[in-house]
Amino acid sequence: MKKVLQATLVLGLASAPASAAELTVLTAGDQNMVDYINEYLGPLFEEQNPGNTVRAVGTGPGDAGSQKIVERFEAQKQANAQIWDTDVAIVHEKFVGPMIEGAYLGAYRDRIATGKLVTRSNADMALGSNVKGYVMPMYNSQAALAYNPALLPNPPESYEEVAAWAKENPKQFGYNGIKGGASGVSFVMGWIYAFGDGDADKLMNGPFEEAETGKWDGAFDSLAEFTTNATLTPGNAGTLDLLSRGEIAIGPVWVDMFYSWQANGQLPPEFKLVLPTPGMPGQPMHYVIPQHAPNKELAEKFVELATSPKVQAEGIVKRFNWYPGIDAQHVQAELDEATWNKLFTDVTPDDLAKLGKPFPIAPYNNAILEAYERHVTN
């Protein structure tokens, strides 16, 4: 009996892949992020790497979800754990800088084949922090102005034109201020980039200087006047809803939400987008690998697959209407013409490169939001 048991154990070990492992992926964001890993990307990786499994763990939407990942890494570092419980994490860009400063992450981008396919600057600098080598963008979300061509056949193409048009067309521009959704926040940040007396590049890249915050008064005075002529919406979805019902003609939205609403029949197919000069902020979600990940090589293979042109086309563009994390030119060959045209006709790859801006670094970002409350809300 003993020999039979030993033989069974030997056969069992022989049949199991030597590299079999469970890859744990933590992801901030909505439930669709967890579903994307569990229902699409994970099974695809398991198919290509037999014996290995992928498990996604959601930490919650918004900044709070990424903050939980930071706290989890910090706890393991404080405990001097040599092997952590996470192989890959997906986080908002504002949290990557603190993670690098805390020595939580490993640099891996130069070791994977898709690393050279990333060209946007937000893969090198994240809100003033140098993150080059430590991140691969999962996708890039972008805010733009959605408009109804029946009400607005010639949309404003700059912030100056937006301001002038809204004055002549009261309540036809709608945005959610800085509450209930980041599309309104993006619009406000773009307003300061356009009309602030300071250096917009400094707001995006740092360093933080207190004196810079005193250069926005004129911009906020004009924004307060603008807002009296605008319709305040209850959030990202609220702006799209008012557009769909013809109650407003134009307003800032997230591009992926816009196209998802069109695909679901919630927005008419003739509605369009414009990205005004000097630009509006968007933000990526980043793949990072902890310094003490239990399966580093497998984690790198996972991110390499996730950021490959084929997966970016099928998983990111087709499924979610997100802009790819890698340069769009590498994804185009994997997309049918209709899908490519839908995503890149109104806002082209050149538009994204020139007018897709990062949000301000954290201290400027917070100062602008506080100033908005003082100047515009009160």
Side-chain angles (χ1 to χ4, degrees):
M1 182 67 180
K2 186 176 180 181
K3 289 183 178 179
V4 171
L5 179 60
Q6 288 176 335
T8 302
L9 288 171
V10 169
L11 287 171
L13 290 171
S15 62
S19 61
E22 181 180 75
L23 205 71
T24 300
V25 181
L26 298 188
T27 177
D30 294 329
Q31 181 61 34
N32 63 353
M33 297 285 284
V34 178
D35 295 341
Y36 175 67
I37 304 298
N38 283 337
E39 298 174 7
Y40 171 69
L41 189 56
L44 183 62
F45 184 79
E46 292 169 0
E47 180 184 329
Q48 295 184 11
N49 298 272
N52 297 291
T53 57
V54 177
R55 179 176 68 102
V57 178
T59 57
D63 287 354
S66 288
Q67 181 61 36
K68 287 180 182 177
I69 296 174
V70 174
E71 292 168 357
R72 188 162 178 161
F73 290 172
E74 173 64 17
Q76 292 176 88
K77 182 183 178 184
Q78 292 297 324
N80 293 315
Q82 295 304 300
I83 298 178
W84 292 6
D85 63 2
T86 305
D87 293 292
V88 178
I90 305 170
V91 297
H92 296 84
E93 67 172 341
K94 69 184 286 187
F95 292 87
V96 178
M99 285 182 172
I100 293 172
E101 291 172 14
Y104 306 153
L105 304 182
Y108 70 94
R109 181 170 137 192
D110 291 343
R111 290 200 298 271
I112 63 176
T114 53
K116 62 181 180 294
L117 305 183
V118 177
T119 56
R120 281 186 65 161
S121 60
N122 60 18
D124 296 338
M125 295 292 293
L127 306 183
S129 297
N130 186 343
V131 301
K132 187 174 183 178
Y134 290 89
V135 303
M136 283 290 289
M138 176 186 186
Y139 66 84
N140 282 288
S141 59
Q142 179 61 50
L145 301 181
Y147 66 96
N148 179 345
L151 299 176
L152 183 55
N154 298 301
E157 296 185 357
S158 69
Y159 267 86
E160 289 82 358
E161 292 179 8
V162 167
W165 183 88
K167 192 171 185 177
E168 295 173 0
N169 299 272
K171 304 303 179 182
Q172 286 298 292
F173 187 99
Y175 81 113
N176 60 281
I178 58 171
K179 302 292 186 183
S183 61
V185 176
S186 175
F187 177 75
V188 169
M189 298 304 171
W191 187 282
I192 301 303
Y193 292 163
F195 299 120
D197 291 332
D199 182 352
D201 286 338
K202 185 178 290 185
L203 302 186
M204 291 180 249
N205 300 309
F208 178 74
E209 295 176 2
E210 187 68 36
E212 199 72 23
T213 66
K215 299 177 181 179
W216 308 329
D217 287 351
F220 275 114
D221 288 344
S222 65
L223 182 56
E225 180 185 358
F226 173 88
T227 301
T228 64
N229 291 319
T231 295
L232 284 177
T233 71
N236 294 331
T239 303
L240 287 164
D241 185 52
L242 292 180
L243 273 168
S244 71
R245 291 192 272 122
E247 295 186 29
I248 59 174
I250 185 171
V253 301
W254 289 108
V255 170
D256 58 292
M257 284 187 69
F258 173 86
Y259 284 123
S260 293
W261 277 52
Q262 277 194 330
N264 294 335
Q266 294 169 278
L267 277 181
E270 63 269 19
F271 280 26
K272 299 177 75 63
L273 296 167
V274 60
L275 189 53
T277 60
M280 292 174 64
Q283 58 183 341
M285 290 289 280
H286 283 313
Y287 289 108
V288 297
I289 297 177
Q291 178 72 17
H292 298 287
N295 305 287
K296 283 187 180 180
E297 289 187 11
L298 208 59
E300 290 174 7
K301 288 183 70 174
F302 179 84
V303 177
E304 187 174 76
L305 173 66
T307 54
S308 63
K310 190 173 186 63
V311 169
Q312 288 276 294
E314 174 61 35
I316 297 301
V317 176
K318 286 188 176 181
R319 285 173 176 256
F320 290 106
N321 299 302
W322 287 326
Y323 287 114
I326 62 175
D327 193 300
Q329 65 173 318
H330 302 299
V331 181
Q332 184 173 8
E334 302 291 342
L335 291 171
D336 58 89
E337 188 175 355
T339 301
W340 175 267
N341 287 340
K342 182 183 77 170
L343 195 59
F344 292 108
T345 295
D346 293 345
V347 180
T348 68
D350 283 345
D351 290 335
L352 285 176
K354 295 173 185 175
L355 304 175
K357 304 295 185 184
F359 279 89
I361 65 172
Y364 286 131
N365 190 86
N366 294 336
I368 291 171
L369 296 178
E370 291 168 5
Y372 182 93
E373 294 281 12
R374 291 195 305 272
H375 288 261
V376 182
T377 304
N378 295 330

